[in-house]
Amino acid sequence: MKKVKEHAEAAADFIKDGPRTDWHDDTLWFVREKRDLAAHTLPEWEQLREWASQIKNHTLSNLDEYLKNFEINAQSNGVKIHWAANAAEHNKIVHKIIQDNNIQKIVKSKSMLTEECHLNEYLIQNGISVIDTDLGERIVQLRKEPPSHIVLPAIHLKKQDVSETFHRHLQTEKGNNDPQYLTEAARQHLRNHFVESELAITGVNFAVSETGGFVVCTNEGNADMGANTAKIHIACMGIEKIIPKAEHLSVFLRLLARSATGQPITTYSSHFNKPRPNQQMHIVIVDNGRSRQLGRADFRNSLKCIRCAACFNTCPVYRRSGGHSYHTAVAGPIGSILNPNLDMKANADLPFASTLCGSCSNVCPVKIDIHEQLWKWRQVIADEGYVTTSKKVGMQGMALVFANPKLYRILGSIGRKTMKLFPFLVNNKLNPWYKQRDMPEPPKESFRDWYKKQQK
Ligand code: SF4
């Protein structure tokens, strides 16, 4: 099995291309600024965040009831509900629907849950191909790459990269980087797949318990095109996508698009309630570790996430390390909280991919205490023994020094002298901390000594 690089190692690869790193950083910061402008147009923004947080908290505390009601209401609308305990069950359910109906042509709009479950890979292994219809997702699919961002899947690519990809796979003119031309080429290419598709898979942004209906938000209308042309629609959702009432959509839809891209509303917010005549509609409701997270008191709030990616766009680490360095379907700050729950050992590096500056928590539309949960995960991961020996020994040494004032003073005094006289002892190639940083000038005296002098 291919070894997955840890975040720091993968990030080091990403930043080797300095101009691209700067461009990635600037592009996402531009999106963050658009989010700020959009948020500031609403005087009630903070009130909306508070409502969203409370609705989600309430829903998570009564999740079983809301899910059962959703199932009853959806079934009475003629929708077939399936329950999947994990990714494997989810994939098998989707596969069985495909087999039972002898389906050959499938289109799929963006769904991070299907990425999390590795549905495409599973179906390919079983001889079934799926066409991703979100433009960004289609670009990365043609390149055989995973998405690097949950809202902007191809944000790591420049138009020149897209042009090359389309030239290779869609036979567009070599070197034509015009976005209008490239988008039109993608449109024509996808249009054929929509027309021929027999089954459409979509995600779910919000599932309304009181109606049994659900809402899918896209900017390209590709979920609607797929769901309205195919004879079977499968919608895949995590258990946390439930909201109690349709009126709550007025809170979440206003927050989602503004937080994600700075738009007042997503271009298409499509409401699905029941199958069209002669159409089948299935909803696969997936747990895949979510109830375990719900049981972790410190981390249950992460299930409030509405996948807007505002925390990605503001995170200085995400912006300068790229989504692929997180080696998981959901990257960024929220991914670093969700993924250790799925596999603590494999994702033990992720909660450390943060400065803990708190910018993520500040922008989160549902008020998740993201940076605090990252800090708490670090403690859990250290207690479970998943940090490297060097980090563990280093932290233990630091704890010993900080807990012992006398030792702290002695070492401080030694440090000030040695750093001044022999800076290469700490500032050398073996110490990665100094690779991109300058050594600060060591102070002449400690604060304690200075303070004592002032008292005289
Ligand atoms: S954690 Fe908050 S900011 Fe991040 S994607 Fe989820 S809802 Fe958006």
Side-chain angles (χ1 to χ4, degrees):
M1 203 169 135
K2 202 172 147 203
K3 186 182 174 294
V4 174
K5 283 188 184 176
E6 289 206 348
H7 179 271
E9 206 184 336
D13 289 346
F14 183 79
I15 60 172
K16 274 181 193 150
D17 186 342
R20 186 180 285 264
T21 308
D22 289 343
W23 169 81
H24 189 263
D25 186 1
D26 292 345
T27 306
L28 288 163
W29 187 250
F30 172 71
V31 183
R32 153 78 210 252
E33 286 182 324
K34 276 179 72 189
R35 170 260 171 215
D36 291 349
L37 282 174
H40 292 152
T41 58
L42 291 185
E44 67 274 33
W45 182 255
E46 288 305 316
Q47 181 65 67
L48 284 172
R49 287 180 77 211
E50 184 57 31
W51 280 333
S53 174
Q54 289 188 16
I55 294 166
K56 282 283 182 179
N57 271 336
H58 165 82
T59 313
L60 290 173
S61 300
N62 300 278
L63 197 53
D64 54 338
E65 283 304 314
Y66 285 122
L67 282 168
K68 276 189 277 179
N69 280 343
F70 177 75
E71 178 179 36
I72 292 165
N73 292 329
Q75 282 171 338
S76 68
N77 294 339
V79 180
K80 178 110 176 51
I81 298 287
H82 309 259
W83 296 89
N86 51 40
E89 278 189 26
H90 164 266
N91 293 346
K92 277 189 192 143
I93 290 166
V94 174
H95 188 198
K96 184 158 186 329
I97 298 169
I98 294 168
Q99 279 182 320
D100 288 351
N101 292 280
N102 195 23
I103 298 294
Q104 307 297 327
K105 310 252 179 189
I106 301 169
V107 289
K108 179 162 81 67
S109 69
K110 187 146 63 62
S111 150
M112 292 320 295
L113 175 69
T114 58
E115 295 289 337
E116 174 188 320
C117 296
H118 302 290
L119 177 68
N120 281 14
E121 292 92 318
Y122 174 87
L123 292 178
I124 288 168
Q125 278 165 15
N126 286 281
I128 299 163
S129 65
V130 182
I131 302 295
D132 278 317
T133 58
D134 173 274
L135 177 55
E137 288 249 320
R138 186 63 183 142
I139 294 166
V140 292
Q141 187 181 39
L142 290 171
R143 295 170 64 92
K144 298 196 176 8
E145 288 175 3
S148 67
H149 186 286
I150 55 176
V151 172
L152 311 162
I155 194 67
H156 58 291
L157 298 171
K158 293 185 170 187
K159 60 185 179 186
Q160 292 83 350
D161 303 318
V162 177
S163 173
E164 268 174 42
T165 306
F166 281 8
H167 172 64
R168 197 164 344 118
H169 296 278
L170 308 184
Q171 290 75 50
T172 53
E173 287 166 26
K174 191 170 175 53
N176 191 335
N177 304 334
D178 175 25
Q180 178 82 34
Y181 168 72
L182 297 172
T183 312
E184 185 57 31
R187 188 167 177 264
Q188 296 303 333
H189 159 71
L190 287 171
R191 181 73 39 149
N192 292 335
H193 289 292
F194 281 125
V195 171
E196 291 171 1
S197 75
E198 301 162 284
L199 184 147
I201 300 171
T202 69
V204 168
N205 287 87
F206 304 101
V208 183
S209 181
E210 72 171 355
T211 65
F214 60 94
V215 175
V216 183
C217 302
T218 69
N219 272 327
E220 296 161 24
N222 55 316
D224 311 66
M225 275 289 282
N228 286 301
T229 47
K231 61 184 184 187
I232 302 173
H233 177 184
I234 306 177
C236 304
M237 60 175 264
I239 57 173
E240 82 287 10
K241 294 289 179 184
I242 284 279
I243 57 171
K245 296 183 176 182
E247 68 187 38
H248 296 150
L249 288 168
S250 63
V251 174
F252 291 107
L253 290 176
R254 296 178 84 196
L255 287 167
L256 177 63
R258 285 181 173 86
S259 299
T261 53
Q263 293 166 266
I265 189 84
T266 326
T267 312
Y268 300 88
S269 300
S270 306
H271 297 244
F272 295 94
N273 286 300
K274 57 183 178 185
R276 300 188 319 274
N278 303 321
Q279 188 200 33
Q280 291 176 38
M281 188 179 277
H282 300 259
I283 302 176
V284 189
I285 304 176
V286 186
D287 184 326
N288 203 33
R290 286 161 176 75
S291 21
R292 185 170 58 239
Q293 187 84 324
L294 192 61
R296 297 183 197 270
D298 285 337
F299 305 111
R300 76 192 289 277
N301 276 350
S302 59
L303 295 174
K304 293 194 295 185
C305 177
I306 57 171
R307 303 288 192 272
C308 70
C311 58
F312 291 49
N313 305 337
T314 200
C315 176
V317 175
Y318 177 85
R319 282 189 278 116
R320 295 198 66 82
S321 63
H324 290 155
S325 61
Y326 292 76
H327 57 76
T328 48
V330 179
I334 189 64
S336 301
I337 296 172
L338 297 173
N339 290 301
N341 172 58
L342 291 177
D343 185 338
M344 205 184 297
K345 189 173 175 206
N347 299 310
D349 54 322
L350 297 182
F352 296 89
S354 169
T355 60
L356 301 185
C357 64
S359 184
C360 44
S361 306
N362 280 341
V363 296
C364 178
V366 286
K367 290 192 161 184
I368 300 174
D369 50 342
I370 304 171
H371 70 296
E372 286 170 18
Q373 293 190 37
L374 289 168
W375 176 65
K376 282 174 186 155
W377 261 126
R378 294 182 185 186
Q379 295 166 55
V380 175
I381 284 165
D383 286 347
E384 296 287 332
Y386 291 131
V387 291
T388 57
T389 311
S390 58
K391 186 172 273 175
K392 199 171 167 189
V393 171
M395 289 295 145
Q396 282 169 346
M398 203 180 277
L400 180 77
V401 175
F402 284 161
N404 188 332
K406 204 168 171 186
L407 183 61
Y408 178 83
R409 282 200 294 277
I410 294 168
L411 291 177
S413 165
I414 295 172
R416 279 190 297 282
K417 287 186 188 104
T418 50
M419 281 168 74
K420 199 161 49 189
L421 299 174
F422 313 107
F424 54 87
L425 286 181
V426 279
N427 187 357
N428 59 53
K429 277 192 184 150
L430 294 174
N431 189 346
W433 181 258
Y434 292 104
K435 267 189 192 161
Q436 290 175 304
R437 298 170 183 86
D438 285 331
M439 169 71 77
E441 189 72 25
K444 291 187 183 60
E445 58 189 354
S446 69
F447 172 77
R448 185 187 168 86
D449 294 339
W450 173 85
Y451 188 74
K452 266 194 197 159
K453 266 195 228 158
Q454 306 303 311
Q455 298 299 306
K456 283 181 188 163

